[in-house]
Amino acid sequence: MGLLPVADALAKVIAGVLPLGSEEVPLRAARGRVLAAPITALRTQPGFNASALDGYAVRAHDAVVGAVLDLIGEAAAGHGFAGRVGPGQAVRIFTGAPVPEGADAVVIQENTTRDGNRVTVEGSTKPGQHIRGRGLDFAEGIEALAAGTVIGPRDLALAAAMNHPRLPARRRPKVAILATGDELVLPVDAVGQDQIVTSNSFAIAALVEAEGGEVLDLGIASDEFHALEAAIRRARSEKADILVTIGGASVGDHDLIQTALTREGMTLGFWKIAMRPGKPLLHGRLGGMHILGLPGNPVSAVVCGILFLVPLLRTLLGRTATVLDRRKATLAIDWPANDLREDYLRARFVLDASASVTKVAPLAWQDSSLVSVMQHADCLVIRPPYAPAAQVGDECEIIDLTAAGY
């Protein structure tokens, strides 16, 4: 099987994937969830003409400068005035209170002088002044939040104002994560001379949770078929939507994950793509479970997670935008020509207040095992296959990791 282009690989990963089902969640639990259906207003806001400031509700025609009006009552928020404002009359009114019948303006208190039940107007007044009209914010029945919206604090405020105590949200995708390799230990374990501390599973789990998924941690499986197959069966028994394996997907004698998955019934989608880092990426289906076999090198695993796992999660959640945004930048250093693989270079932003576009500098060390380099990267610079040597000032395309919160 030859090397598959990145775009073709992504198309295969999300082909035919349908959004998961929905569930009703209370507002307090809805932050970060994805709306499964549009939200329409169940009420009009404000539901009445409301005063925008403290002052006096009047008839604008009567409230000329120097006019003396009779005070006939008071309106406060939640406690309206039941009567009607007639000629030469005023009602004391406070912010948020309903404007009483007959009144069509509010004179702010700074533009009046009060003497007992008599109010003298000292500033000009026009119809509608300092009144928030009924429905100024929104009207009953309007669609305010679209399906696929990732619910944030402002969305929650709007949904609550529209009188929605619960919201329809997509079910969280359950992602089983399995690290593989005899050499791996957890951070809490003693590290032997021939061992390394696993880091990939923590990064991938954080990526899943940042995108609204639920993690099922399968731990570390040794390079033995019985251990790998037991973990795969557990993922299926716990109804994982996605199984992410890390490591063991290459061509070495101890890279057993593809065989183990095949023995369990996986239909292989593809294996190996024209990408650096991340060549030995594996994709398939095992019944209803999506399979992504990520490379074992830490940078490869994270980059493949960003490029393939994130779009798969977003598709399952019914998001409208499934891939991370790409934008233009210019190179701040020269870079050599590329080979047949699409390159994703770890890079830093170069601060230049005078520049009209973002400047980026790929980091000197691009080895896919270097966790510290990945941590220092602000973005990924995308170099197409067979791209010629680039010079300072040449345009490039980037994925902004800081904007994505990664």
Side-chain angles (χ1 to χ4, degrees):
M1 187 179 292
L3 297 183
L4 190 67
V6 173
D8 293 349
L10 178 58
K12 285 179 176 290
V13 169
I14 61 176
V17 177
L18 298 175
L20 298 174
S22 64
E23 58 190 9
E24 292 285 322
V25 296
L27 283 181
R28 291 285 291 173
R31 186 185 66 81
R33 301 295 295 268
V34 178
L35 278 178
I39 297 300
T40 58
L42 300 179
R43 57 180 296 273
T44 295
Q45 179 161 299
F48 47 81
N49 293 334
S51 178
L53 295 167
D54 294 345
Y56 296 89
V58 299
R59 302 190 335 159
H61 179 75
D62 296 337
V64 297
V65 175
V68 179
L69 307 176
D70 293 326
L71 188 61
I72 60 171
E74 180 177 290
H79 303 281
F81 176 73
R84 180 181 181 86
V85 177
Q89 295 179 332
V91 167
R92 179 73 167 116
I93 197 166
F94 297 93
T95 303
V99 176
E101 282 190 58
D104 63 357
V106 172
V107 182
I108 60 173
Q109 62 187 35
E110 294 89 336
N111 289 345
T112 63
T113 299
R114 179 174 172 179
D115 182 11
N117 289 329
R118 307 274 284 176
V119 178
T120 301
V121 178
E122 297 177 346
S124 59
T125 308
K126 57 185 178 182
Q129 185 169 292
H130 304 309
I131 292 177
R132 296 173 180 145
R134 183 179 187 275
L136 176 66
D137 197 354
F138 53 80
E140 182 177 351
I142 69 158
E143 182 179 317
L145 297 171
T149 298
V150 181
I151 304 166
R154 291 174 293 169
D155 305 312
L156 288 172
L158 181 57
M162 290 180 166
N163 206 28
H164 286 275
R166 303 174 69 83
L167 295 175
R170 291 288 173 198
R171 179 174 65 78
R172 293 184 185 274
K174 181 183 286 189
V175 182
I177 300 176
L178 174 65
T180 68
D182 290 340
E183 76 279 15
L184 298 181
V185 294
L186 291 169
V188 296
D189 296 334
V191 183
Q193 182 176 351
D194 300 326
Q195 293 179 310
I196 60 173
V197 178
T198 184
S199 59
N200 299 347
S201 54
F202 294 97
I204 298 303
L207 199 65
V208 168
E209 290 172 343
E211 291 296 332
E214 173 188 346
V215 171
L216 170 62
D217 186 0
L218 298 179
I220 302 170
S222 61
D223 291 322
E224 298 175 316
F225 282 118
H226 73 85
L228 296 170
E229 290 165 351
I232 295 166
R233 290 167 190 164
R234 182 184 167 199
R236 296 189 74 181
S237 69
E238 299 206 26
K239 302 188 185 316
D241 299 294
I242 306 172
L243 169 60
V244 176
T245 64
I246 305 172
S250 194
V251 294
D253 292 343
H254 298 281
D255 294 318
L256 310 178
I257 192 65
Q258 183 175 164
T259 302
L261 286 164
T262 301
R263 282 167 41 161
E264 289 298 307
M266 179 189 73
T267 300
L268 182 65
F270 63 79
W271 175 49
K272 296 193 293 189
I273 57 176
M275 171 181 164
R276 183 188 299 106
K279 176 183 173 183
L281 180 74
L282 178 149
H283 166 257
R285 293 289 293 268
L286 182 51
M289 186 167 65
H290 302 269
I291 306 292
L292 277 180
L294 304 184
N297 276 323
V299 177
S300 302
V302 172
V303 172
C304 286
I306 290 170
L307 295 182
F308 298 98
L309 178 57
V310 167
L312 177 56
L313 285 166
R314 291 184 175 186
T315 303
L316 287 170
L317 285 166
R319 295 273 300 273
T320 51
T322 57
V323 297
L324 296 185
D325 289 337
R326 300 184 177 199
R327 61 186 177 93
K328 300 297 183 182
T330 60
L331 289 171
I333 61 173
D334 296 339
W335 202 258
N338 199 12
D339 62 13
L340 77 165
R341 289 196 276 169
E342 189 164 294
D343 239 339
Y344 290 81
L345 305 171
R346 282 69 72 199
R348 297 279 291 174
F349 293 137
V350 177
L351 299 179
D352 185 349
S354 64
S356 58
V357 294
T358 303
K359 290 185 176 182
V360 295
L363 295 161
W365 296 97
Q366 291 290 323
D367 189 284
S368 60
S369 68
L370 302 180
V371 183
S372 60
V373 172
M374 186 65 189
Q375 193 275 331
H376 280 94
D378 298 316
C379 63
L380 299 174
V381 174
I382 304 164
R383 295 275 287 152
Y386 302 109
Q391 297 179 328
V392 172
D394 284 355
E395 187 178 78
C396 62
E397 194 173 42
I398 67 169
I399 295 174
D400 188 342
L401 299 176
T402 61
Y406 299 154

